[in-house]
Amino acid sequence: MPDPSRSMPSNGRRTSIDSQGGVDAELGHASLTQPFLNGDTLSTHDHDHDHDTPLLTTSETKSLKRSLAQRHLSMLALAGSIGTGLFLSLGQAIQRAGPLGSLLAYAVVGFVVCAVQFALGETAALVPVTGSFVRHAEMLLDPAWGFAVGWNLVYGNLVSVPVEATAVCVLVRYWGWGIHDAVVILVFWVATVGVGMARVRVFGEVEFVFALVKVTFVVFLVILGLIIDLGWVPGQEAIGLRYWSDPGPFVEYIATGDWGRFLGFWAVMTGAVFSFAGVESLAMAAAETKNPREAIPRACKRVFGRVVVFYMLAVFVVGLLVPSNDPRLDGSGDTVAQSPFVIAAQQAGIPAIASLVNAVVITSAWSAANQSLLAGTRVLYGLALKGQAPKIFLRTTSWGTPYICVGLFAIFILLSLLSLSESAITVFWWLVSLTAAGVLVSWATILLNHIRLLKAMKKQGYSTTKLPWHNWWTEYSSPLAFVTVIVFLLTGGFSVFTKGNWDAAKFVSSYLDIPIVSSAFLFWKYTKKTSIVSLDEVPLEMAFCQIEEYPNEPEPPVNKRGWIHALSWLWD
């Protein structure tokens, strides 16, 4: 490793690291003395200095608390990925592409998810900061791109939380209890804001429980589906692979022949991207995670397998249970009654499954709201740290919660009261679809950050073995996945360009995010005169010095007994 006492470039400025591991404050960088990885209080500097450093800042290490464990991160990604898309919308995938077409589409997207997870893990393990890849973009790409992606995420999450409240209202109506929507929204508001204002560990434990519930239910549905398919339900004959033969493994979409079958496959693949949305949020609270340089990589590599296995099994079983031409799949995802699992259970004489699915989907909606609030508030806090949002958002409680950020989201949740008007529900779902392409923008940013990190290391003469976590294949998987994500982004609304299928709302929801992010990027670049970060100026030496100066805390011994250990395969 290069001598840590020598000066190094950082954003075009000389930064010296003294023998104590601190950064020269007079050069405008936050102190890094004793020891930021453990979350201890550091020397106090004015917030004005914080936005000059691309690494951990005084404000983060002084105000936020490291309370999230590795099991929280792993289950956080599971909870975010297994949601309404899995329980309600798989039927639409089967209808669009057929059982084999859907399975192949999810396999391709699974590769992209794997590449994104590993790219995020390698970068976040080196630079574990609040806001994750948003801050990495400023360090590795261009401060203007960090601004654009950051505000795009804040905007998307501000809209997403009230939409989840609206979804809960619709789901509760399924039971016909006559509970007024305003009461449902009030309960949702109290629960969501309560978790958001609590210690981050409370959030971790809530999502941990949600993930266990959802994983258990997915396993139950898969096993139930296999039992139904094999004819082990009294009075029901075996289905086997009947629907793979008739109506067939593929479905034609828009066109006919092989081209039509390919378009069906592609339409499902672009939709499958959003089913996996959420895995990228696991590092958003990296500055609030214990031993992030070990916990984040563990969560990334272990969660991927679980998520893909659950989805692949679920898609396969759904393709066995319901034929692609079943008219009940029309509009799949609008109500619980159109879930393929529910259709199959009702055919087998088990009507109670609908209520179970509905209950679990309600917990999924609340879980999604919690995650949107956490991701949105931490990105907003990170933007404020970098001088890209008002400084008032830097205020935190004594237990480390950015309460002004949470307060802003609490106000937006009240917008869900508009759902008391039936027509407003459609408007809200349209609004959230506008941000759907933001998932692909985030994935592209993660992959590009990683590509730039490896290029900077090569340019500055560092071996990849110096990274806290690295896998040789990511040098190839990240560029390939980046190109694939860009293709997904550009073809997300391809159906509107085919003859007779123009839909203005679909066109806007598929592509509006591109000019929104581009405009934000150009605005910040023009007003602040930013430039693309030179590979020579990426502050790698500072990052590597931090790793050596401040190693991880020793982990406490693990309890090898009890039900928690029996389930620990999910995260460990």
Side-chain angles (χ1 to χ4, degrees):
M1 173 178 174
D3 183 1
S5 64
R6 72 176 177 83
S7 61
M8 48 163 265
S10 177
N11 294 337
R13 303 174 61 178
R14 187 185 66 84
T15 307
S16 62
I17 302 181
D18 61 29
S19 60
Q20 302 298 319
V23 179
D24 193 352
E26 70 178 3
L27 296 179
H29 289 271
S31 170
L32 297 174
T33 55
Q34 288 299 342
F36 70 86
L37 282 178
N38 296 332
D40 294 342
T41 301
L42 308 183
S43 302
T44 302
H45 287 262
D46 189 89
H47 291 310
D48 288 338
H49 298 310
D50 287 346
H51 66 266
D52 290 328
T53 176
L55 304 180
L56 277 170
T57 63
T58 303
S59 298
E60 282 173 279
T61 54
K62 181 161 62 70
S63 302
L64 304 179
K65 309 298 180 184
R66 291 192 180 275
S67 302
L68 290 177
Q70 186 258 318
R71 67 181 178 91
H72 293 135
L73 294 187
S74 294
M75 300 303 276
L76 179 65
L78 275 177
S81 300
I82 301 175
T84 55
L86 177 62
F87 295 122
L88 301 184
S89 300
L90 285 185
Q92 191 175 45
I94 299 298
Q95 184 187 50
R96 184 66 53 82
L100 182 56
S102 298
L103 198 61
L104 292 175
Y106 273 84
V108 172
V109 176
F111 156 73
V112 176
V113 173
C114 179
V116 170
Q117 284 286 82
F118 277 66
L120 175 63
E122 291 188 13
T123 310
L126 176 65
V127 188
V129 293
T130 303
S132 185
F133 59 88
V134 175
R135 298 268 297 283
H136 299 156
E138 179 177 2
M139 168 185 170
L140 296 163
L141 300 175
D142 189 318
W145 188 248
F147 171 84
V149 175
W151 276 107
N152 190 55
L153 279 168
V154 171
Y155 149 71
N157 286 309
L158 279 172
V159 174
S160 295
V161 180
V163 169
E164 297 298 343
T166 299
V168 170
C169 289
V170 175
L171 293 166
V172 170
R173 291 175 197 164
Y174 174 79
W175 286 307
W177 290 340
I179 300 176
H180 198 279
D181 286 349
V183 175
V184 176
I185 291 172
L186 179 61
V187 172
F188 179 91
W189 187 90
V190 171
T192 305
V193 175
V195 171
M197 282 293 189
R199 297 176 185 273
V200 72
R201 185 179 180 85
V202 172
F203 165 83
E205 297 296 350
V206 168
E207 291 303 301
F208 182 84
V209 172
F210 280 158
L212 284 180
V213 169
K214 286 191 279 190
V215 168
T216 302
F217 195 60
V218 170
V219 172
F220 166 75
L221 289 177
V222 168
I223 293 175
L224 177 65
L226 290 174
I227 290 173
I228 294 173
D229 181 71
L230 294 172
W232 293 351
V233 177
Q236 299 292 320
E237 64 176 2
I239 301 173
L241 292 172
R242 180 190 310 166
Y243 300 137
W244 284 57
S245 300
D246 181 21
F250 292 95
V251 173
E252 296 176 347
Y253 177 62
I254 297 178
T256 58
D258 290 341
W259 179 240
R261 286 187 281 273
F262 173 78
L263 291 181
F265 155 78
W266 192 262
V268 170
M269 187 157 55
T270 53
V273 168
F274 308 116
S275 296
F276 286 104
V279 293
E280 73 279 358
S281 66
L282 106 174
M284 281 299 180
E288 298 168 82
T289 301
K290 296 178 181 177
N291 295 338
R293 293 194 171 101
E294 291 184 6
I296 292 174
R298 282 182 188 172
C300 287
K301 65 185 179 182
R302 290 168 182 169
V303 165
F304 162 74
R306 279 65 167 178
V307 169
V308 171
V309 166
F310 287 138
Y311 266 96
M312 296 297 288
L313 278 176
V315 173
F316 175 70
V317 170
V318 166
L320 295 177
L321 297 176
V322 185
S324 58
N325 59 359
D326 191 317
R328 289 171 295 182
L329 295 177
D330 289 337
S332 179
D334 294 335
T335 70
V336 172
Q338 292 165 326
S339 166
F341 292 110
V342 173
I343 292 172
Q346 288 175 337
Q347 287 182 164
I350 315 174
I353 293 299
S355 288
L356 284 175
V357 171
N358 200 56
V360 174
V361 172
I362 287 175
T363 68
S364 298
W366 184 29
S367 172
N370 288 337
Q371 291 208 34
S372 292
L373 190 145
L374 178 82
T377 54
R378 270 45 180 189
V379 170
L380 184 56
Y381 181 89
L383 290 170
L385 281 173
K386 310 306 293 180
Q388 296 174 339
K391 291 183 180 180
I392 191 173
F393 292 116
L394 291 173
R395 296 183 181 181
T396 60
T397 63
S398 59
W399 54 86
T401 297
Y403 66 92
I404 299 296
C405 295
V406 175
L408 176 64
F409 275 73
I411 294 172
F412 268 77
I413 296 175
L414 296 178
L415 291 177
S416 56
L417 289 171
L418 293 175
S419 66
L420 301 181
S421 164
E422 287 290 340
S423 60
I425 297 177
T426 304
V427 175
F428 262 107
W429 282 113
W430 184 76
L431 283 174
V432 78
S433 69
L434 293 179
T435 66
V439 175
L440 290 171
V441 172
S442 296
W443 288 7
T445 302
I446 291 169
L447 293 164
L448 191 55
N449 286 341
H450 182 251
I451 293 169
R452 291 277 297 176
L453 172 63
L454 297 184
K455 286 185 176 293
M457 292 187 67
K458 184 176 181 180
K459 180 75 171 180
Q460 296 184 27
Y462 288 103
S463 169
T464 53
T465 58
K466 295 190 68 64
L467 289 171
W469 185 51
H470 179 64
N471 306 275
W472 65 267
W473 64 81
T474 58
E475 298 181 30
Y476 308 99
S477 63
S478 287
L480 179 58
F482 176 74
V483 173
T484 306
V485 167
I486 296 301
V487 173
F488 284 164
L489 184 62
L490 296 178
T491 61
F494 76 89
S495 62
V496 303
F497 300 111
T498 59
K499 186 176 181 179
N501 291 303
W502 172 256
D503 184 332
K506 182 174 178 57
F507 173 80
V508 171
S509 63
S510 298
Y511 297 111
L512 182 61
D513 204 62
I514 297 176
I516 287 178
V517 175
S518 300
S519 298
F521 170 74
L522 294 174
F523 164 76
W524 196 256
K525 194 168 188 65
Y526 176 77
T527 57
K528 299 297 181 180
K529 310 298 182 185
T530 67
S531 58
I532 296 175
V533 178
S534 168
L535 294 177
D536 290 317
E537 295 183 348
V538 174
L540 294 175
E541 185 175 343
M542 181 188 292
F544 290 130
C545 282
Q546 288 180 353
I547 295 174
E548 295 193 358
E549 289 291 331
Y550 313 118
N552 283 325
E553 303 174 66
E555 297 190 7
V558 179
N559 180 10
K560 295 294 184 181
R561 295 176 296 178
W563 67 273
I564 287 289
H565 177 65
L567 291 173
S568 63
W569 65 273
L570 287 169
W571 62 84
D572 197 7

